[in-house]
Amino acid sequence: TAALLRGRLLLATSLMDMQQGKTEQANEQTKRADALMQEGAKWLERALAKPIENATSGEKNARAWALVRAAMLAEELDDIQKMKDFAEASLALFEVGAEHRGIAIAKHWIGRLFIRLDQLDRAQSIFQESLAEFRRLEDPYWERLNNYFITMVLVRKGE
């Protein structure tokens, strides 16, 4: 949604202000960004709350991608339960449609959820599943991102 995008832009601007020593301005922008992202989350949740009876495969796929975005936003807003619900729901929809890229991305977000829950073995395992799929899909961006998170998990585990 537009509110979410404005919120993310304000966060980026607040980081630049913080680097320039404009602490008060950065704090105000961060508060405004948080409010905008919460507004965006409410809009997204209302849209996802609508039933999808007799949905086409395209509609189910679009809903799965919206659920991924909702999981991302929930993590940013530090709402771990919603992050879990949205990530798991997106994975289930992607699996029904055999959407391999979507499955791998949903698994990536579930891996991030496991990190937040301090379930590092589970996080490592699902990141490795996601990484294997992205290698099969030849997607270097997501390969690097999953490698980064696997490394982070190994460091946190002391390995």
Side-chain angles (χ1 to χ4, degrees):
T1 65
L4 171 61
L5 295 175
R6 285 194 309 273
R8 292 177 77 62
L9 180 60
L10 271 174
L11 273 180
T13 304
S14 71
L15 288 174
M16 289 187 296
D17 286 342
M18 187 66 77
Q19 290 171 341
Q20 295 172 1
K22 301 176 185 175
T23 307
E24 188 174 320
Q25 184 174 340
N27 287 337
E28 287 303 312
Q29 287 180 338
T30 300
K31 288 177 190 174
R32 176 86 174 115
D34 188 55
L36 285 168
M37 286 190 291
Q38 287 179 12
E39 178 187 338
K42 288 177 187 173
W43 279 99
L44 186 54
E45 286 176 32
R46 279 195 294 264
L48 289 169
K50 295 180 180 183
I52 55 165
E53 297 173 18
N54 302 316
T56 66
S57 61
E59 290 168 332
K60 289 177 185 176
N61 194 48
R63 184 177 188 83
W65 284 111
L67 286 162
V68 167
R69 299 291 183 255
M72 294 165 65
L73 183 55
E75 182 189 34
E76 198 147 336
L77 293 172
D78 205 31
D79 190 333
I80 303 307
Q81 184 58 52
K82 284 184 181 176
M83 181 188 183
K84 177 184 185 301
D85 295 343
F86 292 138
E88 289 175 349
S90 70
L91 178 60
L93 276 177
F94 283 132
E95 287 177 336
V96 167
E99 161 55 88
H100 296 288
R101 188 169 191 278
I103 291 168
I105 290 173
K107 285 183 176 185
H108 171 85
W109 284 96
I110 291 171
R112 290 174 73 149
L113 167 70
F114 289 147
I115 288 174
R116 298 291 299 269
L117 296 173
D118 204 35
Q119 297 177 10
L120 300 180
D121 289 333
R122 292 179 76 188
Q124 181 180 352
S125 176
I126 203 152
F127 280 130
Q128 288 171 333
E129 289 176 28
S130 180
L131 175 61
E133 186 61 31
F134 283 120
R135 283 184 175 150
R136 193 182 72 70
L137 294 170
E138 298 179 2
D139 188 326
Y141 169 79
W142 283 99
E143 284 182 49
R144 283 191 297 276
L145 191 58
N146 277 287
N147 273 322
Y148 168 81
F149 277 94
I150 290 168
T151 301
M152 183 187 347
V153 167
L154 290 172
V155 167
R156 283 187 59 186
K157 288 171 60 175
E159 294 180 18

